[in-house]
Amino acid sequence: MNKEIVIIGGGIIGLCSAYYLHKEGHKVTVIDKSDITKGASFVNAGYITPSHLIPLSSPGMITKGLKWMFNSSSPFYVKPRLDMDFLKWAWAFKRSATAFKVEKAIPVIKDINLLGRKLYEDIKTSDAFDFHYEHKGLLMYYQTEKAGEEEWIVGQRGILEGFDVKHLSKDEVKAYEPDLDLNIKGAIYYGCDAHMTPQEFMRKIHAFLKSQGVTFYTNESVEDIIISGNKITEIKSSKRTLKADEFILAAGSWSGLLAKKLNLKLSIQAGKGYRINVERPTGITMPAILIERKVAVTPMQGFTRFAGTMELGGINHKIRTNRVEAIANAAESYYKDLKIKSSEITNAACGLRPCSPDGLPYIGKSKAYKNLTIASGHAMMGWSLGPATGKLVSEIISEKQTSLDIKPFHPDRKFN
């Protein structure tokens, strides 16, 4: 049965949900507080990353986080604050960062990432719209033996999971990047990964959905949610009232705040990331992560993007210049011939990634409401998991067998 659907949020998760719901024949409306031209879906590294098997909430991250948390230019920075939502999230993060829970999460993360990669490729080969997509793999560069050894442990686990993973010497890296002078000791290569140009895909899927009759209301904030019993009857924005059969909460870092209007406890913290675009030749042809500095490097259409940092400081878009400069310095320390200009640093942008405490997204219906599906909390995997989440959301609402077991993503799950 075709339904009327309202999606709150026009980022990669919301638009992919709209794409698959429209394919199922539903009447879809998307509402977003912005004009859908900026935010995390536009400034990310554009990675599709089956290789990222380890969730953010891992035992090693606790140690690194304590080391980095008071250094405002470190890869992982926590702005100290007495905020109850943050303190509860941090406690849940700590409870999730155990070897046992990481082990349980690995196959879940692997399967949803592989589904996301397949679906991007399906969209690419369909008649819907074309976009930049390259399946070239990912290089993890390291400058110290310690970092290389740590990443190779992850790489060996990747091999056990069936991925193409190689441990490369500096000379062997030359086969992938023959024209670069790299200040590295070696790299771990993951052949399973792919990359894209995010803003191009976002612009094209948005235009495609509009051409197919999906309704968009932009620059409108959801101000109230009206409930009757265990169902949402309508939402009220700053400009209109929208009724629907089903509602999807895909508002990224704002999802937790909107959930409060429904008396739901959706634990999400905004993890700010930054990007620098270099719109001139760099010679870089392979996506890479600079391990020690946690900086992602992506050759996109017409430019190279340097992206990184995880800053837990609440919902704000303040640009911390020292954090942007840390990305530029990291890039220059690995790529010997690279010099990032002050104008490129000045033009940096940021986005807020919605982070759950256990590193898994929230996908599914809360038991509190029959017609609410939640799709948020994807952290640094939002881009990678966009189509997979959209497909699962469509299957949930269309009452079909889901492509994956969605129990690990249940929005009501406890962190204990």
Side-chain angles (χ1 to χ4, degrees):
M1 184 180 79
N2 295 344
K3 301 176 182 179
E4 291 202 12
I5 316 289
V6 168
I7 300 173
I8 304 171
I12 184 63
I13 304 300
L15 295 194
C16 286
S17 296
Y19 177 83
Y20 287 103
L21 286 163
H22 169 74
K23 285 187 70 172
E24 287 293 325
H26 301 295
K27 187 177 185 300
V28 182
T29 297
V30 178
I31 182 168
D32 194 276
K33 60 191 283 298
S34 76
D35 60 0
I36 312 184
T37 62
K38 53 186 174 293
S41 296
F42 291 82
V43 304
N44 65 84
Y47 288 166
I48 296 92
T49 52
S51 68
H52 285 32
L53 292 166
I54 310 300
L56 182 64
S57 54
S58 61
M61 202 58 188
I62 294 286
T63 304
K64 289 176 181 177
L66 291 171
K67 176 183 173 183
W68 287 335
M69 67 182 295
F70 296 112
N71 177 0
S72 63
S73 62
S74 66
F76 181 69
Y77 171 61
V78 179
K79 182 181 179 182
R81 62 195 190 279
L82 290 174
D83 175 86
M84 189 54 67
D85 287 340
F86 169 69
L87 294 174
K88 288 179 179 178
W89 181 93
W91 178 247
F93 183 95
K94 183 178 184 298
R95 297 293 296 269
S96 301
T98 67
F100 174 75
K101 291 181 178 179
V102 167
E103 193 63 30
K104 283 185 66 176
I106 285 174
V108 176
I109 293 171
K110 171 191 168 183
D111 288 347
I112 193 170
N113 266 286
L114 288 174
L115 177 61
R117 190 185 70 187
K118 177 185 180 298
L119 293 173
Y120 270 123
E121 291 170 353
D122 288 349
I123 298 171
K124 174 76 173 173
T125 56
S126 73
D127 295 327
F129 56 95
D130 191 25
F131 54 91
H132 170 231
Y133 175 94
E134 292 186 78
H135 186 170
K136 296 176 69 174
L138 175 70
L139 288 163
M140 304 285 288
Y141 293 144
Y142 61 88
Q143 294 181 322
T144 63
E145 296 294 349
K146 183 176 184 292
E149 289 166 3
E150 289 175 354
E151 187 57 39
W152 182 229
I153 292 171
V154 179
Q156 289 173 306
R157 180 55 190 266
I159 292 171
L160 290 176
E161 296 294 334
F163 294 152
D164 172 22
V165 187
K166 299 181 179 74
H167 195 165
L168 306 175
S169 67
K170 181 177 179 178
D171 288 340
E172 289 171 328
V173 170
K174 278 287 184 184
Y176 296 85
E177 287 285 29
D179 298 325
L180 296 181
D181 189 3
L182 292 162
N183 180 28
I184 61 170
K185 287 189 179 297
I188 312 300
Y189 170 76
Y190 293 92
C192 50
D193 290 11
H195 70 283
M196 299 168 62
T197 302
Q199 59 265 48
E200 181 219 19
F201 182 85
M202 289 294 292
R203 177 173 53 81
K204 288 188 173 180
I205 193 173
H206 185 192
F208 173 77
L209 291 171
K210 288 177 75 172
S211 75
Q212 296 296 300
V214 173
T215 301
F216 284 86
Y217 295 120
T218 57
N219 297 307
E220 294 190 29
S221 298
V222 173
E223 296 183 342
D224 201 6
I225 303 175
I226 310 304
I227 302 162
S228 177
N230 64 350
K231 292 188 72 175
I232 298 171
T233 57
E234 61 189 36
I235 63 170
K236 295 186 176 182
S237 78
S238 47
K239 297 180 182 177
R240 70 193 78 244
T241 296
L242 295 172
K243 298 176 184 285
D245 301 309
E246 297 274 353
F247 295 84
I248 299 165
L249 179 56
S253 293
W254 289 264
S255 296
L257 297 176
L258 288 169
K260 286 184 176 182
K261 294 180 182 291
L262 297 163
N263 294 316
L264 293 177
K265 295 177 181 178
L266 194 67
S267 186
I268 286 178
Q269 285 294 307
K272 188 188 297 180
Y274 298 87
R275 70 96 178 112
I276 300 169
N277 288 344
V278 175
E279 297 177 354
R280 52 191 168 85
T282 61
I284 296 169
T285 63
M286 284 290 296
I289 291 180
L290 318 180
I291 294 180
E292 287 89 349
R293 306 292 191 92
K294 309 299 181 191
V295 169
V297 183
T298 316
M300 296 185 179
Q301 281 200 319
F303 62 95
T304 305
R305 173 165 292 175
F306 301 88
T309 82
M310 173 64 79
E311 178 183 325
L312 297 175
I315 293 180
N316 69 80
H317 285 91
K318 180 181 177 182
I319 301 286
R320 291 178 177 269
T321 305
N322 62 325
R323 296 187 69 69
V324 180
E325 289 173 344
I327 293 172
N329 292 337
E332 291 173 1
S333 75
Y334 282 73
Y335 297 92
K336 291 183 180 179
D337 296 331
L338 178 70
K339 179 63 181 175
I340 294 180
K341 299 175 182 177
S342 58
S343 59
E344 292 161 340
I345 293 173
T346 301
N347 290 327
C350 68
L352 302 177
R353 316 176 191 97
C355 301
S356 71
D358 63 357
L360 298 179
Y362 299 111
I363 307 171
K365 286 185 177 288
S366 169
K367 293 177 182 176
Y369 299 99
K370 291 177 64 176
N371 65 339
L372 172 67
T373 302
I374 295 171
S376 189
H378 294 73
M380 294 179 290
M381 292 187 291
W383 189 263
S384 191
L385 305 186
T389 302
K391 179 77 168 173
L392 292 169
V393 164
S394 176
E395 290 166 343
I396 291 164
I397 288 176
S398 302
E399 299 176 18
K400 292 187 171 184
Q401 178 69 37
T402 54
S403 299
L404 299 173
D405 178 7
I406 60 172
K407 290 189 189 73
F409 310 122
H410 201 291
D412 294 340
R413 65 185 183 270
K414 304 298 182 184
F415 305 102
N416 50 31

